[in-house]
Structures are given as structure tokens and as C-alpha cells.
Amino acid sequence: MANRSNHSTLLVLVTIFLSIYLSEQLQSSQSKILLRIQQQLNFPAVLSSWNKKIDFCNSDSKSSLTIVCYEDTITQLNIVGETRAPLLPRNFSIDAFVSTLVRLPSLKVLTLVSLGIWGPLPGKIARLSSLEIVNVSSNFLYGDIPQELSTLSYLQALILDDNMFSGHLPNWLNPALTVLSVKNNLFNGTLPDSLGRVENLRILSLSHNHFYGSVPDLSRLTNLQVLELDDNAFGPQFPRLGNKLVTLVLRNNKFRSSIPDEVSSYNQLERLDISSNTFVGPLQIAMLSLPSITYLNISGNRLSGMLFENLSCGSVLESVDLSSNLLSGSLPKCLMRNSNDRTVLYARNCLEETNQNQHEQSFCHTEAIAVGILPERKKHKRASKAAITLGIVGGTFGGLALTMLFFFIIRRGNIKIKTKNPPTKLISEHATSGYTSKLVTDSRHIPQPMKFGAVGLPPYRTFTLEEIDEATKNFNTGSFMGEGSKGQMYRGQLRDGSLVAIRSIKMVKSHRIQDFMYQIELLSKHRHRHLVSALGHCFECYLDDSSVSRVFLVFEYVPNGTLKSWISDGHYRKSLSWTQRISVAIGVANGINFLHTGIVPGVYLNNLKITDVLLDQNFVAKISSYNGPLLSNMETVGSENPSGGFKGSSIRKSVKHEDKSDIYDFGVILMELILGRTIKPSNADTLKDLLQASITANDEARRSIIDPAIRNTCLDQSLKTMMEICTRCVVKEAEDRPSIEDVLWNLQFAAQVQDAWRCDSLSSDGSPISPLPSRPMTFR
């Protein structure tokens, strides 16, 4: 018995010893793995406390760093680096890093945020078969979502925000997913119908990508609470959804249907944003009184309907934006109460409230008819066929008689206007004719080619109000193109058949014609192949004191829209080729060069954006928004500033390197041409680092981050040259940015290298022949 007891005691001791030994060995192995991860991440500050002596499973947790263990095995690893963390060094290997991670096979939660990780996400990450949550947002990962993730049967949350992922959203999404967020990436194409069968989804965020087309039927997603689709090209129909939504964001897409009635039954909805689309039809008034609604934004649509003072609002409503629609009537009193606690915007409608700028009632009525919203007609009893026939015949003859009478009256009225004073306003048709003649002959102000109608345009001239009315068909709503901070824009056609764009600027204060002469002189000089050039102007004046009430500026019409619409809407069939993009870049650079050096005084600090570049019928780039006269701070015209608020009208020598501000803006546009996406200013620095790293990487890595539409059509040397120009233009120190002349030279080099390759001008070893002398990529 004693021997048996001794054997049992010995067995227990051995078991305890082995378990302690194995536990220590496991901890030691995991510690080595974590220290290896620290090294591969280049020793970020968030991991500064890690060392060989630390007990990782029992270390203190914090929001940026958490390690959770179960039975001494790591199950959660959460690392959050500093915001806008730079790219990891060029020797970083995403494949080696993931190989290290998969040596923690029990991981269920993996969070790697803002750590500068770059490269395509390897499919071997799926070897972590227990993963339930994956969050790798705010890094520089690119390429497709690896299909191997479909094997993760426990995966519930996949968060890939703020990376460079591209391709289509896969159709193999795990039915167990509750969270799918891929905001701020380069995904494109249409959404798969299978998305509507992921019935456990609670959060679906696809914002800021290049998706387009119809949204699949999501009505079966009865658990869906957050749907964010903003800044894509979805449309045209309002998506079919469940009624448990808490957040619905459809902002800045291509929806152009009416709003379905069921939206008024979303009783759990707290945030609704459908702004910047083309929704039409009546506004669902009940949306204002949804019980949970706190934020409502319907601005920038074509929604119509009548508002009344006695309408009710939700008790928790904090922010409402109704602006830029076709609403009429009176603003509900419930929106005006507790104004300190509630933001309410309603400008550019036809409401009776005048605290915010409103259109005339006729504008909303006409616009509603133009988009197919017809007023309700009273029902009439059926008439006999004979009565209908008589009505048609009588109406026809009556209409002809009224038309002839109306024409006769108009003719008589025009004759009287020529002999009598007009009732309120008149147009000073020849007010500047003498001054314009002076401009044409003054060589101190206008370059020699401009006197003879340079850039293929007619000479700058004064237009009459009759010509403006005729060109716009009396400002018919069909001619209306839009409204911004610089006035309303109309499309017009002159008597010679040429198309023009006419900007109507209403003067806030009264100024005499003489106050505008300096601006007109400057305006007449802004004529260049790569600028949207002015063709002339027209002043509308008050009768009593001849002060200017409205200014009409006539510009050449540029038919192909903004550059943004040709690179960033996800439609490959409507996307510029690489050769065209280089040509556009050269055009914009030439336009900037003209603004800086082609006129006196030069025009600087133009705050150029990709939406300010238009493309004509031949895809020639034209800068449309620069510091032009009569377009900035119109209220200051005629004041002590001789430029009349034209901030680019003189060279401010107190501002150093002001020409380099435009170089930076050009670099951002060039970055957007390369990547095929609109870039936020805050992201320019990190994307610059990505481009810089890819310049020295291999050809495949470079092509994986650029716009997929041009991935197979650009020569690598041409692409590298464009990337090099881009990164030099967006450096932080202004004095380190290249001159516009050096930018132009290198752009032309990239174009000719690409053209030589495209034309099959190859040397015997298969490399493209450089058409320009060898020159190192250096900038002054």
C-alpha cells in the first residue's frame, strides 16, 4: 500500500511539473512571437513597453494595446498606433509579418490599426481559423480581399477602412458576418446580389469607394442597423431596406427616384442623410416627426412639396438641412423653436421665410415640372365625344388668335421702350464700348496675340442684355446649370450657333460701371488654351443712378464636364487612358504657367482642385476656377483695393513662394490622376509616402496601387516619372517643390516615353527608346 501511495504522489508531482514546464514553454514561445512582431512593425511607440521579461498574458491593458489570454494562450491581440502613422520601411514584408501572426493559432480577435503596414493582404491569414474579428484599418494595404477569408467560418466582423484595397466586393461573404466596413478604399463595380443574403449583418459601410449601379435588395437583412453608402455612384432607385435602421447615409450618389413611403415608418432611425443626389417627387413630411430622428439632411435634391407652420417635429431632432430643393410654403414653427439647440438650414428653396436666401415661387414650380413633377389636376366629369371635339377645334383657333394678339402687343411694346424710359431697370449696352476699344489697343496690358482673338476664340466684347436673354431663352430653367457661391450658371447659345456658359452675379451693393473697369481689363487678358476663357460681359444697371445691379460674364462652354467625372466614378468605359491623363496634366501645368507668367500681374494662390479642371470636346484640359476678376468678394468692388477683391490680381511680395502653393495643388491633382480617386487634403502626405515607397518597389507593386482602369496600359518608366513628379510637388516645404518649368519638362518626358512605347518604337533589347536626352530626375 505504501508503495502505491508513493507512486501516486510521484505521478501527481510529475504531472504538475510537466504542466508548469509546458506552460512556461508556451509562454516563452508566444513571447518570442510577440517580440518578433514588435521588430517587424519597426518598434512603434505603442509597443515600447514590450521586452523579454514582460508577462504578456498578465500585462496591463489600455485602449491602444490589449492582449487577452485563455489558459495561457493568446486569443486577442489589439494594437492601435498613432494617427496617420507613416509607411513601414521598404524592407518590410507583409508576407513575413503574416507568417509570424499565424504562429498564434488561437487568435480570435486581431486588431492592427494605424501601424503603417503596406502590401497585399496574404491569403495565409486564413490559417488563423478561429478568427472572429479582423480590423486592419488605417494602413496601406492594397489589392483584392483574399478569397481564403471565405474559409473563416467564425468570422463576424471584417473592418478594412482607410486602405487601398481595390477590385470588386466578393460574392462569397460569410453568412455569419455582422459587421462589414470597407470605407475609404478603391473598390469598384456593382454589389453582388449575395450581399442581400448575409442576414446577420448589422453594420454595412461602403463609403468613399467607386461602387456604382443598383443597390441589391437588402430587405431580408432584418438586423441591419447601419447602412453607409455615401460618396459612390449608386442609383438610380432608392434601395429596398428593412425597417430597423438606425443610420442611413446615401449622400453624394446618383439616386434620382422618389423617396418611398416606407421611409416614414423607420421608427428607430436616428440619422438620415440623402443629400447631394437627384431625388425627386414630394418630400415625405413624416420624416420630420420620426420619433428617434436627430439628424436629417435632404439638401441638394429636387424634392418638392408644401410645408406648413403647424407641422410637427421629432422631440430629439437636433440638425435639419432642407436647402437646395423645390420646397414651398412656410417653415414649420417647430424648426424655429429652441434655435440655440438646433441647426436648421433651408436656403435655395421657395419658402416664405426670408432669413435664408430663397428662389421665386415660379422657379420651384417650373423646376418641378422640368423633372416630371406635375401639379395635381382636378377631376372632371366625362364629356361627350362631340363636346371634346368642339373643345379641341375651338381651343386651337382661340390659341392661334391669342398668339397673334400677344405677338402684336409685344412688338408695340418694344417700339415704345425705345422711345420711353424703362419702368425700373435698363441695360447699359454701350457703357464700356469705349473702354473696350482702349483695351484692344493698349499693348501694356494685352499680349500681342490677344488682340487678334488668340486661342481660336472671338475677340473679347461687350454683350447686350437682349443677346443674353436670347442665348438663355430668357433664362429658361432648361438652361440652368447650377448655383454656387459665385452666382448662377446658365448654358446658352449665341446667334452664330456657338455654345457659351453665362454666369449671373447679383450685386449685393450698388457700384458704378467705372468701379468694374479694372476687373474687366484683367478678365479680358485671361485667354489661353488651357483656361476657360472669358468671351465678354454685360452690365445690368439701375435706372435712377446707373449703378450695377447684376453682372453677366460670358465664358466658352466646355462640354465634357469635370476631370473628376472621368477618373473617379468607377466606370471604366468612361475613364481616361494613361496617355490622356498625361496630356491633361500637361494642360493643367501649362494653364498654371500662363497664370503665373503669361499675364501681368500674375495670378497665384488659385486653390486648384480636380473639380476645377474641365475637359473640352477633344479632352483638352481647361482650368475653370482661378482667382479671376469679378468672381471673388463682389461686395468689395470699388473699395480701396483696386483689384476689387480679386485676391490674385497683384503679386504679394510679402508672401514667400506663393507660386509653390499652386504646385502643391497640382501635385494633388496628379496624385488623383494616378490613383483614380478623390483625395482628402489630410491624406495627401500619407499617400505621398505610399507613392514614394512604390517608386523603388517592383513593377507589380506599383501597378497594384494605381487606378485599375490604367493598370495595363501605362509603361512603367512613364508611371515612375509621373509618381516622382507627384511626390516632389507635395512635399511640405514650399521651397523644396519644383518650378512649373521643371514640372512641364518632366511631364513631357513621361508623355514621350509612353508615346514611344505605344507606337512600338522599341530597341533591339525590347526596351523603349527614350525620345529625349538622358536627364536625371532632379528639380530646382
Side-chain angles (χ1 to χ4, degrees):
M1 291 293 294
N3 289 334
R4 288 184 179 181
S5 177
N6 290 335
H7 283 299
S8 298
T9 303
L10 181 61
L11 182 61
V12 171
L13 291 175
V14 170
T15 302
I16 293 173
F17 174 77
L18 286 175
S19 64
I20 294 174
Y21 175 78
L22 291 174
S23 176
E24 290 178 349
Q25 287 295 104
L26 179 63
Q27 291 185 21
S28 175
S29 173
Q30 291 181 147
S31 297
K32 290 180 180 179
I33 294 171
L34 292 177
L35 292 175
R36 175 61 177 162
I37 289 173
Q38 179 191 37
Q39 179 185 10
Q40 290 175 320
L41 293 177
N42 199 31
F43 302 95
V46 67
L47 303 182
S48 59
S49 62
W50 283 8
N51 55 61
K52 294 180 180 179
K53 298 180 180 180
I54 192 173
D55 183 358
F56 287 103
C57 285
N58 295 298
S59 59
D60 294 334
S61 297
K62 49 187 177 181
S63 59
S64 59
L65 179 60
T66 303
I67 297 176
V68 177
C69 298
Y70 178 74
E71 295 182 350
D72 297 320
T73 302
I74 296 176
T75 58
Q76 293 187 31
L77 177 61
N78 301 320
I79 308 174
V80 180
E82 298 178 354
T83 304
R84 297 179 63 186
L87 281 157
L88 290 174
R90 295 170 186 171
N91 61 357
F92 170 78
S93 170
I94 183 69
D95 189 74
F97 177 69
V98 172
S99 296
T100 303
L101 279 175
V102 299
R103 294 168 62 190
L104 300 173
S106 299
L107 270 182
K108 294 184 177 181
V109 178
L110 177 62
T111 301
L112 302 169
V113 175
S114 296
L115 296 171
I117 301 171
W118 61 275
L121 185 63
K124 66 174 66 176
I125 195 173
R127 296 177 188 175
L128 296 169
S129 58
S130 299
L131 277 177
E132 297 175 4
I133 299 174
V134 175
N135 183 356
V136 291
S137 58
S138 299
N139 287 291
F140 301 93
L141 298 169
Y142 52 79
D144 296 331
I145 299 177
Q147 188 171 357
E148 288 84 349
L149 292 182
S150 62
T151 64
L152 297 177
S153 56
Y154 300 106
L155 188 63
Q156 297 179 29
L158 180 61
I159 305 172
L160 310 176
D161 300 343
D162 298 294
N163 280 284
M164 305 283 289
F165 285 105
S166 59
H168 293 194
L169 195 68
N171 59 5
W172 42 256
L173 294 172
N174 192 325
L177 270 181
T178 60
V179 177
L180 176 62
S181 186
V182 297
K183 296 184 291 187
N184 291 302
N185 279 281
L186 299 173
F187 288 107
N188 58 73
T190 58
L191 299 183
D193 291 336
S194 59
L195 187 62
R197 296 191 290 272
V198 188
E199 297 183 3
N200 290 316
L201 264 182
R202 294 181 180 273
I203 298 176
L204 178 59
S205 295
L206 308 178
S207 307
H208 307 287
N209 280 282
H210 304 320
F211 292 117
Y212 58 88
S214 299
V215 178
D217 186 352
L218 303 180
S219 59
R220 293 174 58 185
L221 306 186
T222 55
N223 296 311
L224 190 63
Q225 296 179 341
V226 175
L227 178 62
E228 297 173 326
L229 304 179
D230 46 307
D231 290 313
N232 283 285
F234 289 119
Q237 297 297 319
F238 195 98
R240 295 186 62 187
L241 307 169
N243 59 4
K244 292 185 179 180
L245 283 167
V246 175
T247 297
L248 175 58
V249 182
L250 305 179
R251 182 183 63 249
N252 195 22
N253 276 282
K254 295 186 177 180
F255 295 108
R256 56 178 185 270
S257 66
S258 58
I259 301 175
D261 295 339
E262 53 263 29
V263 175
S264 301
S265 65
Y266 293 172
N267 292 330
Q268 299 181 37
L269 194 62
E270 297 177 2
R271 181 180 181 86
L272 175 61
D273 188 347
I274 60 172
S275 59
S276 301
N277 283 283
T278 318
F279 283 112
V280 298
L283 171 66
Q284 300 292 335
I285 302 297
M287 292 193 301
L288 289 169
S289 57
L290 287 172
S292 303
I293 195 76
T294 61
Y295 178 89
L296 175 64
N297 189 346
I298 64 168
S299 63
N301 286 288
R302 286 288 183 267
L303 295 169
S304 62
M306 182 80 69
L307 300 182
F308 301 97
E309 292 183 353
N310 59 354
L311 289 177
S312 60
C313 302
S315 59
V316 293
L317 188 59
E318 297 176 355
S319 180
V320 181
D321 191 347
L322 310 176
S323 54
S324 298
N325 278 285
L326 306 175
L327 304 175
S328 56
S330 300
L331 194 70
K333 289 183 178 180
C334 62
L335 294 180
M336 302 305 294
R337 296 173 188 154
N338 302 321
S339 57
N340 293 334
D341 301 325
R342 179 180 290 163
T343 301
V344 180
L345 302 175
Y346 50 88
R348 295 179 296 281
N349 281 285
C350 299
L351 298 170
E352 296 175 4
E353 179 62 48
T354 57
N355 289 339
Q356 297 182 23
N357 182 42
Q358 301 292 313
H359 295 296
E360 297 293 335
Q361 288 288 332
S362 58
F363 174 83
C364 289
H365 177 76
T366 307
E367 285 288 300
I369 294 176
V371 296
I373 308 168
L374 299 177
E376 292 185 2
R377 298 180 180 179
K378 296 181 180 180
K379 295 182 179 180
H380 297 280
K381 295 181 179 180
R382 294 183 179 178
S384 65
K385 293 183 178 180
I388 294 174
T389 304
L390 287 174
I392 293 174
V393 173
T396 302
F397 282 103
L400 288 173
L402 284 174
T403 302
M404 295 178 65
L405 179 61
F406 182 76
F407 180 77
F408 176 75
I409 293 173
I410 292 296
R411 289 293 302 270
R412 289 289 302 273
N414 287 339
I415 294 173
K416 289 182 179 180
I417 287 174
K418 294 180 180 179
T419 58
K420 295 182 179 181
N421 291 331
T424 54
K425 301 180 182 179
L426 59 84
I427 183 68
S428 183
E429 297 184 8
H430 305 290
T432 60
S433 58
Y435 193 86
T436 305
S437 300
K438 174 182 181 296
L439 288 176
V440 173
T441 58
D442 194 339
S443 60
R444 295 175 301 169
H445 297 285
I446 299 182
Q448 186 69 20
M450 301 267 174
K451 302 174 188 177
F452 303 101
V455 299
L457 296 173
Y460 187 94
R461 70 182 180 91
T462 300
F463 287 84
T464 67
L465 185 57
E466 288 182 355
E467 290 178 291
I468 300 295
D469 285 341
E470 182 181 340
T472 61
K473 297 181 180 178
N474 293 317
F475 297 96
N476 185 282
T477 55
S479 302
F480 184 71
M481 297 171 62
E483 181 178 11
S485 60
K486 298 177 181 178
Q488 296 177 330
M489 186 67 78
Y490 292 85
R491 184 187 295 105
Q493 186 172 16
L494 301 180
R495 293 169 182 172
D496 62 2
S498 57
L499 295 176
V500 293
I502 300 175
R503 189 182 297 277
S504 172
I505 306 172
K506 185 177 181 180
M507 305 308 300
V508 177
K509 298 180 180 179
S510 297
H511 300 285
R512 295 185 176 275
I513 292 173
Q514 290 77 7
D515 297 334
F516 294 94
M517 292 302 99
Y518 187 79
Q519 283 75 21
I520 292 300
E521 176 185 350
L522 295 173
L523 186 68
S524 66
K525 294 192 295 182
H526 294 176
R527 297 165 71 82
H528 187 268
R529 184 171 187 259
H530 296 293
L531 298 184
V532 178
S533 302
L535 305 179
H537 69 276
C538 174
F539 290 144
E540 186 177 13
C541 301
Y542 289 107
L543 176 62
D544 51 358
D545 60 357
S546 297
S547 60
V548 177
S549 62
R550 190 179 297 271
V551 179
F552 299 100
L553 301 180
V554 183
F555 295 92
E556 59 177 317
Y557 179 72
V558 186
N560 268 328
T562 68
L563 175 58
K564 177 185 175 182
S565 66
W566 287 91
I567 68 166
S568 61
D569 66 355
H571 294 281
Y572 291 172
R573 63 182 178 275
K574 187 187 174 185
S575 184
L576 297 179
S577 67
W578 178 244
T579 301
Q580 287 174 314
R581 296 184 194 212
I582 300 176
S583 177
V584 165
I586 293 174
V588 175
N590 274 311
I592 294 173
N593 191 36
F594 175 79
L595 290 172
H596 289 184
T597 63
I599 50 179
V600 177
V603 181
Y604 302 96
L605 305 177
N606 291 286
N607 192 28
L608 298 175
K609 299 179 179 64
I610 194 168
T611 51
D612 297 326
V613 179
L614 304 183
L615 301 178
D616 71 3
Q617 64 275 14
N618 298 316
F619 292 93
V620 173
K622 293 178 178 286
I623 301 174
S624 68
S625 181
Y626 45 89
N627 274 333
L630 296 174
L631 294 181
S632 301
N633 300 327
M634 295 300 298
E635 296 87 349
T636 64
V637 176
S639 63
E640 295 180 1
N641 178 8
S643 70
F646 169 32
K647 58 184 177 181
S649 61
S650 61
I651 300 177
R652 291 164 299 284
K653 295 183 179 179
S654 61
V655 181
K656 293 183 179 180
H657 308 294
E658 61 182 349
D659 58 323
K660 298 302 179 70
S661 174
D662 289 335
I663 296 295
Y664 183 91
D665 294 338
F666 174 77
V668 174
I669 294 174
L670 198 57
M671 190 180 294
E672 292 170 317
L673 282 169
I674 294 171
L675 300 179
R677 63 182 294 191
T678 304
I679 294 170
K680 296 180 180 178
S682 58
N683 294 336
D685 287 342
T686 52
L687 292 176
K688 180 203 73 174
D689 294 337
L690 177 63
L691 290 178
Q692 188 70 57
S694 68
I695 290 173
T696 56
N698 56 40
D699 178 31
E700 183 179 356
R702 271 188 295 279
R703 292 181 188 275
S704 65
I705 67 172
I706 66 175
D707 189 346
I710 57 171
R711 193 169 289 169
N712 299 320
T713 60
C714 58
L715 182 67
D716 188 55
Q717 179 60 48
S718 177
L719 176 61
K720 287 175 64 176
T721 302
M722 293 282 278
M723 287 181 168
E724 180 75 15
I725 301 169
C726 175
T727 55
R728 297 295 181 89
C729 288
V730 295
V731 296
K732 290 184 178 180
E733 299 299 329
E735 62 268 22
D736 294 335
R737 297 169 195 157
S739 67
I740 191 64
E741 292 83 5
D742 277 339
V743 168
L744 275 168
W745 193 97
N746 285 286
L747 286 173
Q748 290 163 354
F749 176 82
Q752 294 194 33
V753 167
Q754 176 71 19
D755 189 60
W757 173 74
R758 190 164 55 92
C759 296
D760 296 324
S761 300
L762 301 176
S763 62
S764 57
D765 61 354
S767 60
I769 301 173
S770 174
L772 293 176
S774 176
R775 170 175 170 173
M777 188 61 62
T778 58
F779 298 87
R780 290 196 294 272

